[in-house]
Amino acid sequence: MIELNPYLPEMATILETVQETPTIKTFRVRLDDPGRMQAFSFQPGQVGQLSVFGVGESTFVINSSPTRMDHLQFSVMRAGEVTTRLHGLAAGDKVGVRAPLGNHFPYESMRGKDIVFIGGGIGMAPLRTLLLFMLDNRADYGRISLLYGARSPEDMAFKTDLPEWSSRGDMTTVLTIDREAEGWEHRVGLIPNVLLEMAPSADNAVAVTCGPPIMIKFTLQALKKLGFADEQIYTTLEKRMKCGVGLCGRCNIGTKYVCVDGPVFSYAELRELPNEL
Amino acid sequence: MDLSVSFGGLTLKNPVLTASGTFGYGLEFTPYGDLARLGGFVVKGISLLPREGNPMPRIAETPCGMLNAIGLQNVGAEVFLRDKLPRLPWRETAVVVNLYACSAEEFGDLAGLFAGEEGVAALEVNVSCPNVREGGAAFGADPAQIAAVTAAVKRRAGDKPVIVKLSPNVTDIVAAGRAAMDGGADILSAINTLTGMAVDVRTRRPRLANVVGGLSGPAVKPVGLRCVWQLASALPLPVIGIGGIASAEDALEYVLVGAHAVQAGTANFSRPDFAFRLVDDIAALAAELGLDSLDACRGGLRT
């Protein structure tokens, strides 16, 4: 009989962890089965379920890039039971992985366009996979700009990536925090306001944004002011997902399942759905 | 061995059906097994008009089980007949339509829509769904209403066997079963979910937006066995056993207390190929126990 249980996680080992911020920890993992790891493929924006055995499962975007397959990276904000237990794990510990799940950023149709990334807090994680993918396929895309904001300097994740992103000549990186802090050399101000100052052109451009709901709300308004249409704005939802394969009915918004029709949606698509976000 | 069973006007190649509301319209499970291998499947509750269901969250895990308050979200009878049924392998396996309505008249109208459909093997009447505030619970709790609803369906069902799915949320399930029999039921199925609730102590909120929902899974199997045993002992109607079946042993326990067939439900959420495997597992267990057919052990509980 064919073994076909999509709920059965694959065993994986944590290679390395990075304490990004007081509440965000990054995990680099490899599937234990070398053949499965070799054959593993995913698209930028797809998610995985990480499980702590005996505790439960939770959904995270794979924030490494499919162009860099030596490990799979997940960044976890401590929020509940599963994430708290994940934060207690270290290199060498075992986790379960069910991945890849869901759809991906439409990076094919973004070719030739200017890309504006706007990330807030842990919302930077899903942007990272697409950003790295585009940097590894740099010639396919137009201007790339990144606006990444956090509450304070210590809440900035991906600190090992930021110097490279800031110094590259082929992308623009703007970092901002909510309030003045000692030693901070970048912008101070809320993401939507800084975005308006940056004033990226909407012409032949796509905005990709992710962050807390209040940030998203005002960022959308700012993008509108800059002339971005709903069809030009993408985001990713990771809420409420459970089975990951469109069967359990836990994550649907109207007729759409976040786990199979998402997690990536354009605002044009989200506009058509009931307001349950 | 021959796993086929025949009862109440229904013939199944094996005793494994899937329970309504745990197996979609069947089509969702085609990646996980060949639907034609099942004895049959009961599609999710169908109403005359499409229903959106309850607000989220609609599912909560509980020890050895789960609570659901989906609220009978479905595409409605017309869309089911047009878009779903023609794609199901009904020549190879029994497609049972579970009916949900808010009045006896509506139940009758709904039954009438399926009576002439050759792709439908039987109708299962949901008199017991506790989720929908305006209906379900009241029918299932009142023998007179069960009889009325059953009669309304039977009158319009043509030659389709009518299965009445009973609620365990009653004082006397035999009285409920007898009412269904008086209304003309051909088969009983038991049990539907037990009403329950779950609470989050930190948020002080119920874990279901609907507050209450239906409990299912291994936690309810003892209640299901007791109900099926009482029904099969007291009434001449065949019974389909439902409630917490997660293994071939569980299925045969239901047969021993008198069931002619079983429905697997919540286990489909643990592994979507569960029902397909259950067919093989029952055959293997029956062989191990030296049974030539399920008839050889049905009702064979030694008391």
Side-chain angles (χ1 to χ4, degrees):
Chain A
M1 182 184 296
I2 309 162
E3 281 291 334
L4 210 55
N5 185 353
Y7 304 145
L8 207 60
E10 299 208 44
M11 289 297 286
T13 302
I14 298 170
L15 303 175
E16 195 181 356
T17 67
V18 179
Q19 190 71 47
E20 304 275 5
T21 77
T23 56
I24 300 173
K25 190 166 177 174
T26 286
F27 297 86
R28 298 189 180 128
V29 309
R30 281 182 73 87
L31 304 182
D32 287 356
D33 182 334
R36 300 282 300 168
M37 188 67 204
Q38 187 74 36
F40 191 90
S41 69
F42 72 102
Q43 312 255 42
Q46 285 194 289
V47 300
Q49 293 269 19
L50 281 189
S51 43
V52 183
F53 296 108
V55 181
E57 232 182 4
S58 212
T59 313
F60 308 96
V61 72
I62 307 171
N63 74 59
S64 46
S65 168
T67 49
R68 308 176 188 189
M69 283 301 291
D70 47 315
H71 62 255
L72 303 175
Q73 177 166 310
F74 300 91
S75 296
V76 176
M77 186 163 76
R78 193 175 63 233
E81 209 176 342
V82 174
T83 55
T84 299
R85 290 290 290 269
L86 272 170
H87 270 236
L89 300 182
D93 286 339
K94 298 286 181 192
V95 288
V97 174
R98 290 197 295 129
L101 301 169
N103 72 350
H104 56 82
F105 288 110
Y107 58 88
E108 307 96 336
S109 66
M110 292 178 178
R111 287 203 182 105
K113 295 185 175 165
D114 292 347
I115 315 291
V116 183
F117 289 101
I118 308 146
I122 188 66
M124 187 59 220
L127 307 190
R128 182 182 187 268
T129 174
L130 185 61
L131 174 61
L132 293 183
F133 176 85
M134 287 179 167
L135 293 178
D136 289 347
N137 294 276
R138 189 64 193 85
D140 291 347
Y141 299 94
R143 280 177 295 186
I144 294 179
S145 46
L146 165 66
L147 167 58
Y148 173 35
R151 265 175 313 194
S152 69
E154 67 167 8
D155 290 313
M156 287 248 138
F158 309 113
K159 289 192 183 72
T160 51
D161 294 318
L162 298 179
E164 187 206 326
W165 295 345
S166 299
S167 62
R168 281 181 79 118
D170 60 356
M171 69 178 282
T172 307
T173 301
V174 175
L175 306 178
T176 185
I177 55 171
D178 290 359
R179 270 182 229 93
E180 294 278 0
E182 205 172 320
W184 180 252
E185 295 165 350
H186 305 275
R187 301 290 282 266
V188 175
L190 297 174
I191 289 167
N193 300 336
V194 177
L195 179 65
L196 286 172
E197 290 167 28
M198 286 170 71
S201 167
D203 188 33
N204 193 38
V206 172
V208 186
T209 184
C210 189
I214 188 74
M215 170 216 136
I216 294 290
K217 183 181 169 191
F218 289 104
T219 297
L220 281 177
Q221 291 176 7
L223 285 169
K224 292 249 153 126
K225 272 189 203 162
L226 294 168
F228 282 81
D230 287 351
E231 290 76 10
Q232 290 172 275
I233 307 171
Y234 287 85
T235 192
T236 174
L237 311 171
E238 288 170 55
K239 307 202 291 188
R240 305 188 298 205
M241 201 179 286
K242 188 79 185 181
C243 77
V245 291
L247 289 177
C248 80
R250 205 80 60 105
C251 69
N252 54 320
I253 306 172
T255 56
K256 297 277 188 192
Y257 285 89
V258 174
C259 69
V260 288
D261 300 311
V264 176
F265 293 95
S266 73
Y267 270 90
E269 292 168 312
L270 288 181
R271 199 177 51 200
E272 302 299 317
L273 295 178
N275 188 19
E276 289 179 6
L277 305 178
Chain B
M1 74 174 267
D2 179 18
L3 284 181
S4 67
V5 287
S6 202
F7 57 95
L10 192 59
T11 297
L12 307 175
K13 63 172 77 168
N14 64 60
V16 176
L17 297 144
T18 57
S20 181
T22 65
F23 208 67
Y25 300 103
L27 298 165
E28 294 88 339
F29 283 75
T30 51
Y32 307 107
D34 179 4
L35 294 176
R37 283 176 55 207
L38 300 174
F41 50 93
V42 186
V43 298
K44 66 188 301 178
I46 305 275
S47 47
L48 277 174
L49 296 175
R51 293 178 59 99
E52 284 191 358
N54 288 329
M56 301 282 184
R58 314 197 287 196
I59 293 180
E61 275 109 7
T62 58
C64 287
M66 63 181 248
L67 283 164
N68 88 81
I70 305 298
L72 291 148
Q73 179 178 6
N74 78 96
V75 296
E78 189 186 330
V79 174
F80 172 75
L81 285 169
R82 191 189 66 208
D83 297 345
K84 309 287 186 187
L85 186 58
R87 294 162 60 199
L88 294 171
W90 50 266
R91 289 181 198 280
E92 283 85 41
T93 186
V95 176
V96 178
V97 175
N98 181 284
L99 308 180
Y100 174 77
C102 298
S103 68
E105 296 71 35
E106 240 180 81
F107 265 113
D109 291 345
L110 198 51
L113 291 178
F114 296 102
E117 291 290 334
E118 62 172 338
V120 174
L123 302 177
E124 184 180 64
V125 186
N126 179 6
V127 293
S128 47
C129 190
N131 289 338
V132 181
R133 271 171 280 188
E134 67 261 32
F139 290 121
D142 177 359
Q145 294 220 47
I146 293 173
V149 164
T150 307
V153 170
K154 186 66 186 170
R155 261 197 304 277
R156 304 279 295 276
D159 58 358
K160 307 289 184 205
V162 172
I163 307 165
V164 176
K165 185 172 182 177
L166 299 173
S167 168
N169 304 309
V170 293
T171 309
D172 182 358
I173 193 140
V174 173
R178 187 172 288 119
M181 188 174 76
D182 293 345
D186 299 292
I187 301 166
L188 302 174
S189 60
I191 54 174
N192 207 320
T193 56
L194 288 109
T195 50
M197 61 190 285
V199 173
D200 184 330
V201 73
R202 300 195 193 283
T203 62
R204 299 192 178 191
R205 288 178 182 281
R207 291 189 188 271
L208 296 173
N210 191 53
V211 185
V212 298
L215 179 66
S216 62
V220 312
K221 191 185 73 171
V223 181
L225 286 170
R226 183 268 296 171
C227 289
V228 170
W229 178 69
Q230 288 182 322
L231 290 165
S233 304
L235 303 171
L237 286 189
V239 182
I240 300 172
I242 320 168
I245 293 173
S247 69
E249 282 83 357
D250 295 336
L252 280 196
E253 288 169 22
Y254 273 99
V255 175
L256 277 172
V257 301
H260 278 73
V262 295
Q263 293 180 13
T266 304
N268 296 313
F269 290 91
S270 310
R271 50 180 313 154
D273 60 350
F274 173 75
F276 306 102
R277 297 170 65 98
L278 184 61
V279 175
D280 295 339
D281 291 351
I282 288 175
L285 179 61
E288 182 194 323
L289 298 175
L291 303 170
D292 296 329
S293 76
L294 293 179
D295 296 333
C297 74
R298 180 170 308 109
L301 185 73
R302 294 175 181 144
T303 51

